[in-house]
Amino acid sequence: MNFPILSSLILLPTIGALFILFTKSSSGKYQSSKYVALFISLANFLLSLYLWYVFDKNSVDFQFVENRDWLSGFIYYKVGIDGISILFVILTTFITPICIISVNATITKRLKDFLIAILIMETFMIGVFCSLDLVIFYLFFEAGLIPMFLIIGIWGGERRVYSAFKFFLYTLLGSVLMLVAIISIYWITGTTDVEKLYELGINAEYQNLLWLAFFSSFAVKTPMWPVHTWLPDAHVEAPTVGSVLLAAILLKMAGYGFIRFSLGLFPIASENFTMLVYILSLIAIIYTSLVALMQEDMKKLIAYSSVAHMGFVTLGIFTMTQQGIEGSIFQMISHGLVSAALFLSVGVVYERHHTRLINKYGGLVSIMPRYAIVFMVFTLGALGLPGTTGFIGEFLILMGAFEKNILVAMIASLGVILGAAYMLWLFKRVVFGEMNNQELKSMKDLKTFEIITLSALVIPILFFGFYPEPLMNSIEASVENTLNMYNFDLINNLASKD
Amino acid sequence: MENFQYILPEVFISISIMLFLLVGVFKKKSASLIYNLSNISLVILLALIINLSSLETVYLFNNSYLIDNLSNYMKIILVGSGIFVMLTGSKYIQVINLNKIEYPILILSSILGMMIMISSNDLIVFYMGLELQSLALYVLASFNRDNLLSTESGLKYFVLSALSSGLLLYGCSLTYGFSESTNFDQILINSTEFNYGTTFGIVFILVGLAFKISAVPFHMWAPDVYQGSPTSVTLFFAILPKIAALSVFIKFLYTPFANMNDQWQTIIVFISIASMIFGAVAAIGQKNLKRLIAYSSISHMGYALAGLATVTNQGIQSSITYISIYLVMNLAFFSCLFMLKRNDKYYENIEDLSGLSKKHPILSFSLLIVLFSLAGIPPLAGFFAKFYVFLAVIEQSMYFLAIVGLLATVIAAFYYLRIIKIIYFDPEKDEYETSHNLGLKITLAISTIFILAYFIYPSGITEIVSKITMI
């Protein structure tokens, strides 16, 4: 057994959190604990980059697999990564230090507790993307609720209690059905090991119900229309950093789950329910884009745009084409970067002016030119301009969709136009136009740490926008493998019917 | 006399009780002394039982008394939690002026009664144990006799418990009448054929037992008794009688009535579902923490019974695991409750927790862990308790029970979250005292770490419990 690199990746943030818990601060400002947290999260980021470096991109197998007896010999602690999950792991380790740097601006009370919550959260998020056992997956998936509930509830805005409860109960309600499904899978097949389940396959007669149980959990988490209503509330009330974590990583757990579990374990059911997912995704794309147009609160607007973007993701996954799935993964990574950046940008002006209402702003370009530039890059990234990551994701998804169903693809394309409309309109109202509000004049341009965090996000958005090859390279083999297995199962099933 | 070594624990505790009574009568102001002595005798008792636990199954006194893996395990967790109950409550009963010699002696007698219940293999022996523990509990419930609520709870418990004992006794006599024996094994042999008499007997016995375990629809006494009793007695109520009653449940269902599982399975499923839902819904509106935990325990008993409804070994083991984890969570919760003290007054309303996290970060963190664990959120111990139960339930394809149970956890999550919200999100109130006795601190630390770190090695309890087989 080699060095357990994945377990260290998972555990390192928790160790950091424990370390912070037991450090005392003399001044009460907890600056030292912030540096500890930053150090730990950066170390984790470097570790994950090293992981990417040694990762064999041509192999379709799970790599760095660790398998340990955990629950009396019938459930194993099994972690491992393939080309898909490694990207999400890196996204997580990349976003976390950015969150920790931005903590200063938004969190004024109980900084120490907040850092602990973020680091614990990182453990759970990496755990979700690495786990290769359904029970372990569920464990990490659900455990993430606790720190997020506290982040929204303690450090949130006025209606934080309502939002935190809504977030928690919606997600829990979706997930308990998944637990029933996981236990059922154990009794049907005798294992919850994902790799073994891929080989064994699950009997077609059970697949529809199991798929629906998993879907109920993932749909809430994605979130898909009509169970998306917790997201705008949670985003608006969460502190900036909380919104960043929520949008950039938590939402991706569900998209990842669709690819890994819904497609991988229940191919026949996935085929049966494709139309359902198409319809829900299209409603999400069109309806929430229209809702986003009418928002007066910047964070709410971005939250609704997240729902629309995730609509593209689910659409792309269920096209079951190489382009569609690759596009979806790319779109998730891209959305992880762009939405994180947008929430941080909103945080920048919110911290200075203490309002998120769009009509209180205007003409920021003349006093905050640097801010205007980065905000423009993010806006263009969100609307999918060629040259940004957003474009590649949406383009591939639409390509996949055109191959399968032209009508669906055409309706989805409308969403691209609507997306451009609400993002550009937001940009115009906030950054351009006349400066009617005299109080805005006192606002200062970006501070150093804001420049660091925002440019750390600008670089990958533009770089991978022009040169997506490294990312595509990493996911290609795994996606192909997933699709091959999927088609193989479908053909087998048809053959067995005849 | 060759049987003597097997019942050494029971004999030892009986002698201790009588000895302490004598000491209490002849020596003045000996309350604290007896309290400590009782605690020591419980520790010795625990050692004696553990010493026995390596033995094979033994039948004593004409097959009326049974010592096996199940009874030993149940006695160990019973006496073990008894020790912690005594440790946590020692300061409390001094502060509210209840430090009398009767208190520890009553607790010991009740524990003796429960041990007899757990080991009984005969209707008469069982009933004797049951009454011994109940009589001690009536007095304990109204121990704070100057307090109106405490007196009310004692009386209420007495009246309703006597009623249920009556039903139980009627069920026993019916069973005896139709199966011609009071011995559990003999009843099993004689009741192979269906007859209405035994069926009615089962129903009456189950009603009586459901009352003891406070399962819906026989739960009415629980909230009042929990609220009215002194908190240390409430803790006792929340844990020990439940352990005893659950093991008697297992014993009855799987020894004398094992052949009639098609008769009682529906009853258990109904009681289980009703308890889970009722406990979850009724707790939402509560303002008193002790009352809330009463409803919470009703709902937890529903989950424990769900395991029994499966009629498999896996199910029984999951129930036993459930009660083991449940008692640790309750110990932790009540330890937190004992810490809400200011100027010799204990606070027990939910509002009293408001903003606790600012002044008392460690206490609030423990409460946070306990409450999320009670709600069954992974990776805490409470999740594993539920996980085992649902594993057993779904194995038998009882999907309705599983889905209702899991939906009830979502409802229950709401009121646990409400307490967390009050602790963490609400504005702070006055500070509480921070000096507590060592026993309380140790109990809280051990139980919280157990809940928090359970996921690192979850097979521990399962492997011990897996040795217990009934079918």
Side-chain angles (χ1 to χ4, degrees):
Chain A
M1 193 88 185
N2 297 327
F3 178 67
I5 187 165
L6 283 180
S7 291
S8 349
L9 208 57
I10 294 171
L11 282 180
L12 196 60
T14 303
I15 295 168
L18 286 177
F19 191 75
I20 293 174
L21 185 67
F22 293 115
T23 48
K24 281 200 172 166
S25 108
S26 49
S27 60
K29 281 193 167 178
Y30 299 110
Q31 276 305 320
S32 57
S33 36
K34 200 185 142 185
Y35 290 126
V36 173
L38 188 60
F39 175 75
I40 291 281
S41 58
L42 279 177
N44 225 19
F45 177 54
L46 291 178
L47 191 62
S48 65
L49 282 184
Y50 169 74
L51 193 67
W52 200 21
Y53 174 72
V54 291
F55 179 81
D56 179 7
K57 295 179 183 63
N58 298 317
S59 164
V60 296
D61 292 331
F62 288 100
Q63 299 174 35
F64 309 102
V65 175
E66 293 165 36
N67 201 352
R68 273 182 206 137
D69 185 14
W70 183 63
L71 200 73
S72 317
F74 71 98
I75 288 166
Y76 290 85
Y77 168 78
K78 187 172 182 189
V79 289
I81 48 171
D82 67 350
I84 300 170
S85 40
I86 190 169
L87 289 188
F88 290 103
V89 171
I90 294 174
L91 180 70
T92 311
T93 55
F94 175 66
I95 294 290
T96 313
I98 290 181
C99 288
I100 290 172
I101 299 174
S102 325
V103 152
N104 251 13
T106 42
I107 307 301
T108 48
K109 54 174 185 181
R110 295 201 202 170
L111 183 61
K112 190 172 149 181
D113 300 354
F114 191 78
L115 293 169
I116 294 173
I118 287 187
L119 287 176
I120 298 278
M121 195 71 210
E122 188 182 8
T123 288
F124 294 149
M125 292 184 299
I126 298 174
V128 165
F129 296 126
C130 290
S131 41
L132 284 184
D133 187 289
L134 290 173
V135 177
I136 305 284
F137 171 79
Y138 182 80
L139 212 68
F140 283 123
F141 192 78
E142 283 288 282
L145 291 181
I146 299 175
M148 203 60 210
F149 174 77
L150 295 175
I151 287 176
I152 298 175
I154 299 179
W155 294 278
E158 277 167 31
R159 287 172 71 238
R160 63 212 163 111
V161 174
Y162 170 78
S163 308
F165 271 64
K166 199 169 177 182
F167 162 75
F168 195 98
L169 294 177
Y170 260 65
T171 327
L172 186 64
L173 188 61
S175 303
V176 289
L177 292 176
M178 184 163 80
L179 182 62
V180 175
I182 290 174
I183 297 176
S184 310
I185 290 176
Y186 178 75
W187 289 118
I188 292 168
T189 63
T191 180
T192 49
D193 183 325
V194 176
E195 260 185 310
K196 277 189 198 153
L197 285 171
Y198 280 167
E199 281 171 29
L200 288 172
I202 292 168
N203 203 328
E205 59 180 308
Y206 302 116
Q207 282 199 10
N208 283 350
L209 279 175
L210 293 175
W211 188 92
L212 280 175
F214 272 75
F215 180 73
S216 73
S217 173
F218 295 149
V220 172
K221 201 89 172 184
T222 311
M224 293 177 86
W225 184 87
V227 283
H228 66 282
T229 54
W230 64 270
L231 185 78
D233 284 316
H235 267 317
V236 170
E237 299 307 325
T240 304
V241 177
S243 301
V244 171
L245 279 182
L246 198 58
I249 304 161
L250 258 73
L251 304 189
K252 309 301 176 289
M253 290 178 180
Y256 172 78
F258 274 129
I259 298 174
R260 177 74 77 234
F261 303 116
S262 297
L263 256 58
L265 299 179
F266 323 117
I268 299 156
S270 299
E271 190 71 19
N272 293 345
F273 287 109
T274 305
M275 214 51 206
L276 173 75
V277 179
Y278 280 171
I279 291 167
L280 292 183
S281 306
L282 287 181
I283 295 176
I285 294 169
I286 302 297
Y287 167 75
T288 51
S289 297
L290 289 172
V291 175
L293 267 176
M294 298 312 297
Q295 293 307 312
E296 291 169 351
D297 183 313
M298 284 196 257
K299 259 188 158 178
K300 228 171 188 164
L301 190 148
I302 300 168
Y304 277 109
S305 87
S306 286
V307 181
H309 280 129
M310 292 312 285
F312 274 106
V313 170
T314 45
L315 178 67
I317 292 170
F318 280 85
T319 58
M320 322 290 183
T321 56
Q322 179 88 15
Q323 295 90 343
I325 296 177
E326 279 183 13
S328 293
I329 297 168
F330 205 91
Q331 171 83 343
M332 281 194 267
I333 303 290
S334 155
H335 178 255
L337 299 168
V338 171
S339 64
L342 284 171
F343 279 118
L344 283 177
S345 309
V346 174
V348 167
V349 288
Y350 178 73
E351 187 222 337
R352 287 165 173 72
H353 197 45
H354 299 291
T355 176
R356 289 185 302 258
L357 291 181
I358 297 170
N359 58 16
K360 300 273 186 206
Y361 292 97
L364 289 184
V365 68
S366 56
I367 52 165
M368 300 173 76
R370 286 188 194 135
Y371 177 74
I373 291 171
V374 288
F375 194 33
M376 186 188 72
V377 175
F378 300 143
T379 308
L380 296 178
L383 63 84
L385 189 83
T388 62
T389 48
F391 168 73
I392 295 164
E394 279 179 4
F395 182 72
L396 285 173
I397 291 169
L398 289 175
M399 252 171 80
F402 265 109
E403 200 180 314
K404 281 286 163 106
N405 192 329
I406 293 179
L407 185 67
V408 168
M410 281 167 68
I411 300 172
S413 311
L414 280 178
V416 180
I417 302 170
L418 287 171
Y422 63 72
M423 282 318 294
L424 286 176
W425 197 30
L426 168 75
F427 188 71
K428 182 233 148 199
R429 283 181 291 174
V430 173
V431 176
F432 294 140
E434 281 186 30
M435 192 187 291
N436 296 324
N437 196 338
Q438 291 306 311
E439 290 167 26
L440 288 176
K441 287 229 165 95
S442 59
M443 280 170 73
K444 299 243 165 48
D445 207 350
L446 298 181
K447 294 174 196 158
T448 323
F449 79 90
E450 288 163 346
I451 293 175
I452 295 171
T453 52
L454 292 177
S455 50
L457 287 162
V458 167
I459 293 166
I461 290 173
L462 291 178
F463 178 78
F464 292 122
F466 281 105
Y467 185 62
E469 197 50 33
L471 298 185
M472 290 313 218
N473 203 359
S474 155
I475 55 180
E476 198 166 353
S478 298
V479 171
E480 210 176 303
N481 183 40
T482 309
L483 269 177
N484 284 342
M485 283 195 314
Y486 176 82
N487 290 327
F488 180 75
D489 280 359
L490 279 191
I491 291 164
N492 265 0
N493 182 47
L494 280 181
S496 68
K497 269 184 188 167
D498 298 336
Chain B
M1 278 308 277
E2 74 271 23
N3 293 336
F4 181 73
Q5 52 164 322
Y6 301 118
I7 51 155
L8 190 60
E10 281 85 351
V11 171
F12 169 75
I13 195 74
S14 317
I15 293 173
S16 310
I17 291 169
M18 291 178 236
L19 201 69
F20 296 156
L21 257 179
L22 286 178
V23 173
V25 172
F26 290 112
K27 190 174 181 305
K28 280 181 183 155
K29 292 187 180 165
S30 57
S32 298
L33 175 75
I34 290 182
Y35 198 92
N36 293 332
L37 278 177
S38 313
N39 228 341
I40 293 167
S41 68
L42 278 178
V43 175
I44 298 171
L45 179 63
L46 185 65
L48 288 174
I49 300 171
I50 291 174
N51 184 35
L52 270 184
S53 61
S54 53
L55 290 170
E56 295 295 299
T57 307
V58 184
Y59 288 92
L60 300 172
F61 309 120
N62 228 350
N63 289 346
S64 64
Y65 207 74
L66 167 69
I67 293 167
D68 62 354
N69 280 330
L70 172 72
S71 69
N72 274 325
Y73 179 79
M74 285 310 209
K75 281 179 194 168
I76 289 170
I77 60 171
L78 181 85
V79 176
S81 42
I83 294 170
F84 282 112
V85 169
M86 296 281 276
L87 277 179
T88 49
S90 62
K91 178 90 180 180
Y92 174 82
I93 61 159
Q94 281 169 17
V95 171
I96 62 164
N97 281 328
L98 287 183
N99 198 9
K100 305 191 175 108
I101 56 158
E102 294 89 346
Y103 179 83
I105 291 172
L106 282 169
I107 283 191
L108 289 189
S109 342
S110 174
I111 288 178
L112 173 63
M114 290 170 195
M115 284 169 64
I116 295 174
M117 275 167 81
I118 290 173
S119 267
S120 61
N121 197 36
D122 188 285
L123 289 173
I124 293 169
V125 176
F126 156 71
Y127 190 73
M128 197 181 74
L130 180 79
E131 281 308 291
L132 180 55
Q133 69 112 22
S134 300
L135 283 173
L137 286 178
Y138 304 146
V139 186
L140 280 173
S142 52
F143 205 70
N144 194 358
R145 61 178 181 194
D146 300 331
N147 184 315
L148 198 63
L149 280 177
S150 181
T151 325
E152 182 206 334
S153 83
L155 188 66
K156 204 167 211 164
Y157 187 51
F158 173 68
V159 172
L160 288 171
S161 191
L163 179 70
S164 84
S165 290
L167 290 174
L168 192 88
L169 214 49
Y170 186 51
C172 290
S173 60
L174 271 174
T175 312
Y176 170 65
F178 281 86
S179 61
E180 297 161 8
S181 175
T182 55
N183 185 285
F184 287 174
D185 300 309
Q186 204 59 42
I187 295 172
L188 175 67
I189 296 165
N190 293 354
S191 64
T192 42
E193 279 174 38
F194 171 80
N195 65 57
Y196 279 111
T198 324
T199 310
F200 271 97
I202 292 175
V203 173
F204 280 118
I205 289 175
L206 286 186
V207 167
L209 290 178
F211 179 89
K212 303 291 174 203
I213 211 168
S214 75
V216 176
F218 309 103
H219 61 280
M220 292 81 79
W221 59 277
D224 291 330
V225 173
Y226 272 56
Q227 189 184 1
S229 309
T231 312
S232 56
V233 178
T234 312
L235 171 59
F236 191 82
F237 266 117
I239 301 178
L240 281 85
K242 305 255 149 103
I243 299 174
L246 188 79
S247 68
V248 171
F249 244 113
I250 296 172
K251 195 178 277 288
F252 264 103
L253 296 182
Y254 292 99
T255 316
F257 302 142
N259 289 331
M260 317 198 53
N261 61 46
D262 51 337
Q263 307 288 320
W264 54 256
Q265 194 178 20
T266 349
I267 302 177
I268 301 289
V269 170
F270 168 76
I271 291 179
S272 161
I273 288 179
S275 307
M276 292 190 287
I277 294 178
F278 180 83
V281 174
I284 289 175
Q286 300 307 321
K287 293 192 177 71
N288 184 295
L289 280 169
K290 278 155 77 178
R291 222 179 156 79
L292 184 131
I293 211 72
Y295 285 108
S296 148
S297 79
I298 291 173
S299 126
H300 281 286
M301 284 308 116
Y303 292 99
L305 288 178
L308 295 189
T310 57
V311 204
T312 56
N313 263 328
Q314 175 99 24
I316 300 170
Q317 287 159 11
S318 75
S319 284
I320 295 170
T321 315
Y322 197 95
I323 196 106
S324 314
I325 294 173
Y326 162 86
L327 75 89
V328 180
M329 296 192 292
N330 263 297
L331 270 178
F333 183 83
F334 277 89
S335 306
C336 295
L337 215 53
F338 283 128
M339 290 191 172
L340 299 179
K341 185 178 73 141
R342 192 191 301 138
N343 300 331
D344 283 352
K345 187 175 182 307
Y346 284 90
Y347 291 80
E348 55 190 43
N349 283 327
I350 296 184
E351 283 88 58
D352 297 328
L353 291 170
S354 179
L356 189 73
S357 66
K358 289 183 186 106
K359 294 269 171 60
H360 305 276
I362 297 171
L363 176 60
S364 330
F365 182 71
S366 308
L367 262 175
L368 176 85
I369 297 294
V370 176
L371 290 167
F372 272 124
S373 176
L374 284 167
I377 307 295
L380 304 168
F383 166 73
F384 290 94
K386 294 208 165 82
F387 180 73
Y388 293 128
V389 168
F390 290 119
L391 205 60
V393 168
I394 292 175
E395 187 193 12
Q396 294 302 304
S397 303
M398 299 161 90
Y399 288 104
F400 182 68
L401 183 58
I403 290 172
V404 169
L406 283 165
L407 292 182
T409 63
V410 180
I411 303 173
F414 176 77
Y415 64 81
Y416 294 122
L417 285 183
R418 193 165 67 104
I419 308 177
I420 294 167
K421 171 222 151 202
I422 286 167
I423 298 173
Y424 274 89
F425 308 169
D426 281 5
E428 60 188 309
K429 283 194 171 173
D430 296 341
E431 214 167 334
Y432 291 100
E433 282 170 22
T434 47
S435 63
H436 305 288
N437 58 327
L438 193 64
L440 187 56
K441 281 182 187 166
I442 290 175
T443 313
L444 182 58
I446 292 178
S447 48
T448 312
I449 289 171
F450 175 88
I451 294 168
L452 194 56
Y454 188 83
F455 73 95
I456 295 173
Y457 185 62
S459 17
I461 290 186
T462 344
E463 270 162 21
I464 300 171
V465 170
S466 65
K467 294 192 185 106
I468 301 163
T469 44
M470 293 294 294
I471 306 170

